[in-house]
Structures are given as C-alpha cells and as structure tokens.
Amino acid sequence: MPSISTPDGTRIFYKDWGSGRPVVLSHGWPLSADAWDTQLMLLASNGFRAVAHDRRGHGRSTQTWGGNDMDTYADDLAQVLEQLDLRDAILVGHSTGGGEVARYLGRHGTARVAKVVLVGAVPPLMLRTDSNPEGTPIEMLDAIRAGLLTDRSQFYQDLSVPFYGANRPGANVSQGARDQFWRLGMQAGLKNAYDCVKQFSEVDFTGDLQRIDVPVLVAHGDDDQIVPIRAAAAKSVQLLKDATLKVYEGAPHGIHGDYERAFDADLLEFCTS
C-alpha cells in the first residue's frame, strides 16, 4: 500500500489518482480517505491529481498511542505534501479535515497551496464557550466520548443518522451509506478516535484562519446537525481574507445524495477557475 513515513515513524496511507494539478483531500472523523472516493474519481477524471490520506490512527495508517492532536495531524499533512512534492495544490478539508487543513496553513503557510475548500468544517471553534455561545455544549461532546467507550459499534450506527440527516422528513439516505460510515469508523483505533474528539471540538482555529492568504471556498449545509453552520462557516468567512460562502439548503453534515452532487459541481468549478 502506498504510504509515507513521518519523523516519528508513523506510516500514513494515501491514495494518489490521476495526474495534473494536485488536489489534496482531508477526511472527517472518524472516517478515512475512502470517504472521498467519489470526489477522487471526479477530480482524477477531469485532469487533476487527486490525493487523499488516512489520518494517523484512522483507516490504514498507523494506530499511534500518542500524536493524536491537531498540530501533529497538520504536520503529517505537511509530510504528505513534501514527500510527494505537491505544489500549487488545492487543499480540501471536510469536518475535522477542515481543522487539519486550517492548522496546516497556520503552521506551514501557503507556499505549496493555491486554493482551499472548507466543507462542513469545524473551524473556527466547535465548543460552546462564553464567547462562542453558538457552539456545541461540552455535555454533547462528553456523550460522544462515552459512546465510544461503551459500545462504539452501536454508537457509530446511531451517529450515522444525524450525520446524513436520516432523521429528517423526506430523507433519502441508503442503508449502504450508513453502513459505510460504520465500517470506516470501526477501522479507526479506539484511542485515536477518542483523542480526536477533543481536537475537533476544543481547538481554536481563529488564528489559523486569519493567516490564510489564498482564496477559500467555504461550503456548508444549513441543516448540519453535527457542525452547525452558525458556529462554523458563518464565522469562518468573517475571519478569512478571501472567502466565498456557499450554503446548501437543507443539506446535512455528511456529503451525500443531492448535496454531494451540488458540492461536486461547485468543487470542480472552483478547482478549474
């Protein structure tokens, strides 16, 4: 399997499809590069080199005991770009992957990056605080951690419902899509998935967003039950220097169905413009 090795010896699996300008995609929690297969196929079929890696502890990458923090995730992403010598790249991050992308840009700059897409992304801060009243209460995040420790298999089955908006009237989410979410989640190490909850929810990306000096497409569903738009995209566009906000009416957190088709069209247009 193709992989790169980080300075601490972690093996990071990646997919590398097509040729042309590189588009590098960072997945959400608790998934893997497989979550991007439709977008990888789309991009590689339209003249791009599409690359997606499994975050450490997820998918086929090493299940490390330590290093499950946003700074290390960002440095792992830097290793992917540097070891594959990717330049003039477009970075795409969904959910936790959006935090990873933002932190990469905050720590490593935009020398290798031309554009960015943040879709359903956790920045600037997911956690509810006095200064971020629109955020997610800590009790909900604690419930995620408890679910992982109690019965993570059932927890992932249950989480797939709000993730894809399957609890909304008229929802058309296949059992296969929900099963795939469960399958990818179960591939992540328990310790890695547990530690990552704190990283996607409690890390403040405000400074990272303010340092980004390339165009950013901020895409978000307005019925996202996992990362509500009012605490995420609506605030991120105010912090970014050059941002375009695209709101998908009625769309959930998971990129699926009509939402996926609309997003794919916008992604391809943004990459080719």
Side-chain angles (χ1 to χ4, degrees):
M1 295 190 299
S3 64
I4 59 100
S5 182
T6 68
D8 70 352
T10 301
R11 301 299 298 182
I12 302 293
F13 169 86
Y14 66 90
K15 298 184 178 189
D16 190 350
W17 297 1
S19 60
R21 187 181 194 179
V23 182
V24 183
L25 302 101
S26 293
H27 63 80
W29 178 92
L31 308 175
S32 74
D34 289 0
W36 286 120
D37 276 357
T38 300
Q39 289 70 39
L40 291 167
M41 184 78 170
L42 172 72
L43 293 163
S45 299
N46 282 277
F48 293 93
R49 181 181 179 183
V51 176
H53 67 290
D54 291 353
R55 185 170 301 115
R56 66 168 57 211
H58 297 67
R60 290 135 294 199
S61 293
T62 307
Q63 293 188 8
T64 55
W65 182 257
N68 304 306
D69 60 84
M70 199 57 68
D71 286 353
T72 305
Y73 299 156
D75 292 348
D76 289 347
L77 176 57
Q79 288 296 312
V80 172
L81 269 70
E82 291 168 15
Q83 293 189 38
L84 298 183
D85 195 24
L86 304 179
R87 300 178 184 275
D88 196 33
I90 300 168
L91 301 187
V92 182
H94 175 240
S95 193
T96 300
E100 178 180 287
V101 165
R103 181 51 50 92
Y104 164 82
L105 295 165
R107 285 173 68 82
H108 298 274
T110 56
R112 291 180 176 269
V113 178
K115 296 180 182 180
V116 175
V117 179
L118 300 176
V119 52
V122 296
L125 175 63
M126 188 173 174
L127 180 67
R128 177 178 294 176
T129 65
D130 289 343
S131 59
N132 187 42
E134 300 84 4
T136 301
I138 190 66
E139 293 80 10
M140 292 181 65
L141 300 162
D142 288 341
I144 293 175
R145 283 183 275 258
L148 289 173
L149 295 179
T150 302
D151 184 351
R152 66 178 173 136
S153 182
Q154 187 60 51
F155 173 75
Y156 288 144
Q157 288 280 0
D158 295 342
L159 183 60
S160 70
V161 174
F163 190 91
Y164 289 113
N167 53 349
R168 297 310 199 207
N172 185 23
V173 182
S174 69
Q175 187 61 48
R178 293 183 55 195
D179 289 347
Q180 174 73 335
F181 178 90
W182 170 87
R183 183 183 75 85
L184 299 185
M186 290 301 292
Q187 289 179 344
L190 176 57
K191 174 67 158 52
N192 310 102
Y194 185 92
D195 287 355
C196 192
V197 176
K198 182 179 181 68
Q199 300 305 308
F200 71 63
S201 62
E202 297 184 37
V203 172
D204 190 336
F205 299 97
T206 298
D208 303 298
L209 295 175
Q210 291 172 329
R211 294 185 189 99
I212 299 174
D213 57 2
V214 296
V216 183
L217 173 63
V218 180
H220 217 108
D222 69 1
D223 193 29
D224 189 325
Q225 300 172 66
I226 308 299
V227 182
I229 188 172
R230 65 185 182 277
K235 292 189 175 184
S236 289
V237 294
Q238 301 300 318
L239 297 166
L240 292 158
K241 294 181 175 67
D242 183 1
T244 300
L245 177 62
K246 176 68 177 184
V247 178
Y248 299 87
E249 185 177 356
H253 188 62
I255 306 171
H256 176 73
D258 291 342
Y259 175 27
E260 183 169 42
R261 287 183 283 274
F263 171 71
D264 285 355
D266 292 334
L267 172 65
L268 191 59
E269 181 180 2
F270 184 71
C271 289
T272 55
S273 64

